[in-house]
Amino acid sequence: MYPKLNIYLSKYKENIDTIHTLCHKNQLSVMGVTKVFCADEKLVDVLNNSPIEYIADSRIENLKQVKTLKPKVLLRIPSIHELDDVIKFVDISLNSELSTVKLLNELARKKNVSHSIILMLDIGDLREGIFYTENILDNIQEILNLKHIKLVGIGTNLTCFGGIIPEMETLEKLINIVEIIKSKFDINLEIISGGNSSHLHLLESDQRIPYINNLRLGESLILGRETAYGNPIKDTHQDVITLEADLVEVKFKPSIPEGTIGMDAFGKTPSFEDLGLMKRGILALGKQDVDFHELIPTDDKIRLIGSSSDHIIVDLTHSMIDYKVGDVLTFKLTYGSLLGLMTSKYVNKHYYK
Ligand SMILES: *Cc1c(COP(=O)(O)O)cnc(C)c1O
């Protein structure tokens, strides 16, 4: 049944092995990030059977389901309303709020356990973390005073929000802070988690950043791309997961709607260019499943021109193939489309070994 995702597990494994080898050569451990595929069990199993050191996700709901012997890492700063689950299901959480860490300590004390955290620092991308100009040492001192919290490392995240590219000049802010922490406190920071898939371009160009010994990687493993510039990574697959969707209508129609144009199904006033008579198709999936701008047709002569909740309209005019109703179109995916499609319950999954 369509729409359908083809999931090639061996290609995922090859990407993981290639990228892990690259990281290992640079003395970096890897957290395999599972959020873009909702911690799908079969894909998690590929990570389980790989040398990746940790399993990481931003959602506690996903980590609850994950079956693994590797340490589980919660990437999103925890909500104070989910801390019971954090203590119970997570080995290491990323944190930036002292008040939340104190609550974690309190809960861990009641259960007589210890909870490990990585303290996140913001070096300019402006998503999570204590801003690097703030008084980080006081925060660390307070955390060190908490008996049931183990500070196992510090981390930073770049590119995801502000689009800031990891380069020496930016990462020097992290390095400086690490050096100050090492000089002020007698602690062993096991993990200096330097970033996500946008960090890989540094390794590919042989730039190793001092102290950084861990990366958290999602997109690069599943899509075979570094995310600072969006380039494919050498010896990886970009088609670990592809989409197939079928045509439920194929007809010749004008390229401009007829009549007075008001609002479309989403309250926007659409506009159209007159391209004459068109061979138009309708694919049986829509906005509820995916943003069509993020789908890459393998037939590069076709063009996606619009969508509503459950339909994507496609221009088939210039294809060499004479498409008919029931024919299936194949698409490569981006991070955005993969996220939508894996999340939609209307999209089937087919796994290949
Ligand atoms: C999602 C996420 C990652 C992984 O990012 P990719 O670009 O997919 O490698 C890493 N760290 C944090 C904190 C995240 O939220």
Side-chain angles (χ1 to χ4, degrees):
M1 278 290 285
Y2 301 100
K4 174 181 111 179
L5 288 167
N6 295 315
I7 304 177
Y8 301 97
L9 298 171
S10 60
K11 290 187 181 181
Y12 188 45
K13 172 159 179 42
E14 285 170 25
N15 283 5
I16 292 167
D17 287 343
T18 301
I19 293 170
H20 186 268
T21 302
L22 177 67
C23 290
H24 194 73
K25 265 202 301 213
N26 288 278
Q27 284 98 48
L28 297 162
S29 65
V30 176
M31 297 179 176
V33 177
T34 56
K35 66 193 182 199
V36 74
F37 49 79
C38 307
D40 176 88
E41 195 176 335
K42 293 203 175 59
L43 287 164
V44 169
D45 266 342
V46 180
L47 286 167
N48 280 338
N49 294 316
S50 82
I52 293 282
E53 285 85 356
Y54 307 81
I55 303 288
D57 201 293
S58 46
R59 294 177 191 259
I60 190 80
E61 294 87 342
N62 287 348
L63 287 175
K64 262 187 185 179
Q65 312 291 333
V66 163
K67 295 191 191 73
T68 185
L69 298 173
K70 303 188 194 264
K72 291 186 190 182
V73 181
L74 180 64
L75 294 173
R76 188 168 60 191
I77 306 304
S79 151
I80 59 167
H81 306 290
E82 66 186 12
L83 299 183
D84 272 322
D85 282 349
V86 175
I87 300 273
K88 204 159 151 195
F89 296 104
V90 170
D91 298 295
I92 306 173
S93 61
L94 272 45
N95 282 272
S96 63
E97 292 287 356
L98 189 59
S99 55
T100 303
V101 177
K102 285 180 173 167
L103 289 172
L104 278 169
N105 180 63
E106 202 43 40
L107 284 172
R109 186 184 62 76
K110 282 189 193 140
K111 294 214 161 79
N112 199 24
V113 294
S114 168
H115 181 73
S116 294
I117 68 159
I118 291 176
L119 184 66
M120 292 300 279
L121 305 179
D122 182 347
I123 57 172
D125 198 59
L126 301 186
R127 204 178 69 180
E128 73 274 47
I130 304 174
F131 202 64
Y132 75 102
T133 53
E134 297 285 312
N135 194 338
I136 293 158
L137 299 183
D138 284 357
N139 277 278
I140 291 187
Q141 185 57 65
E142 291 222 41
I143 292 168
L144 293 176
N145 291 341
L146 302 172
K147 289 212 168 53
H148 292 264
I149 295 293
K150 185 165 180 234
L151 179 66
V152 293
I154 64 169
T156 197
N157 196 62
L158 289 172
T159 328
C160 282
F161 178 73
I164 298 299
I165 291 195
E167 50 197 5
M168 192 54 192
E169 216 178 327
T170 296
L171 290 164
E172 236 158 27
K173 296 170 188 163
L174 181 72
I175 295 169
N176 289 340
I177 295 166
V178 172
E179 287 183 336
I180 294 170
I181 294 171
K182 281 184 185 285
S183 70
K184 292 264 176 187
F185 301 101
D186 179 28
I187 51 171
N188 172 29
L189 289 174
E190 286 163 43
I191 302 174
I192 311 291
S193 189
N196 54 45
S197 295
S198 68
H199 195 92
L200 291 174
H201 78 100
L202 292 170
L203 306 188
E204 289 191 290
S205 58
D206 282 326
Q207 297 178 67
R208 197 179 172 306
I209 308 292
Y211 299 112
I212 291 178
N213 65 7
N214 170 270
L215 296 177
R216 311 173 304 273
L217 303 178
E219 177 161 355
S220 50
L221 301 180
I222 197 89
L223 288 175
R225 300 193 323 150
E226 59 80 28
T227 57
Y229 304 99
N231 293 321
I233 296 167
K234 193 166 164 286
D235 298 330
T236 62
H237 305 278
Q238 283 72 54
D239 56 355
V240 170
I241 304 185
T242 58
L243 170 71
E244 289 182 356
D246 67 321
L247 291 161
V248 294
E249 181 184 299
V250 178
K251 289 187 190 304
F252 285 90
K253 292 186 191 182
S255 41
I256 300 193
E258 284 187 27
T260 306
I261 293 181
M263 284 188 303
D264 70 11
F266 288 82
K268 304 245 161 55
T269 305
S271 65
F272 299 91
E273 194 187 342
D274 191 354
L275 299 169
L277 198 64
M278 260 184 182
K279 184 178 180 184
R280 301 165 70 97
I282 295 178
L283 291 169
L285 80 169
K287 281 195 165 82
Q288 189 153 29
D289 313 291
V290 71
D291 174 358
F292 76 86
H293 297 99
E294 302 281 317
L295 295 176
I296 307 157
T298 53
D299 178 348
D300 61 6
K301 297 285 189 295
I302 67 175
R303 207 167 52 93
L304 303 182
I305 54 181
S307 71
S308 56
S309 320
D310 321 295
H311 302 74
I312 293 176
I313 318 292
V314 43
D315 176 3
L316 304 168
T317 316
H318 303 289
S319 176
M320 312 299 272
I321 299 165
D322 181 23
Y323 288 109
K324 298 195 170 53
V325 168
D327 283 351
V328 171
L329 303 184
T330 304
F331 300 89
K332 289 197 197 180
L333 305 175
T334 64
Y335 193 81
S337 47
L338 183 57
L339 187 67
L341 292 163
M342 288 297 298
T343 311
S344 171
K345 68 170 181 177
Y346 304 104
V347 178
N348 296 297
K349 301 185 182 80
H350 198 286
Y351 299 88
Y352 299 83
K353 280 243 165 64

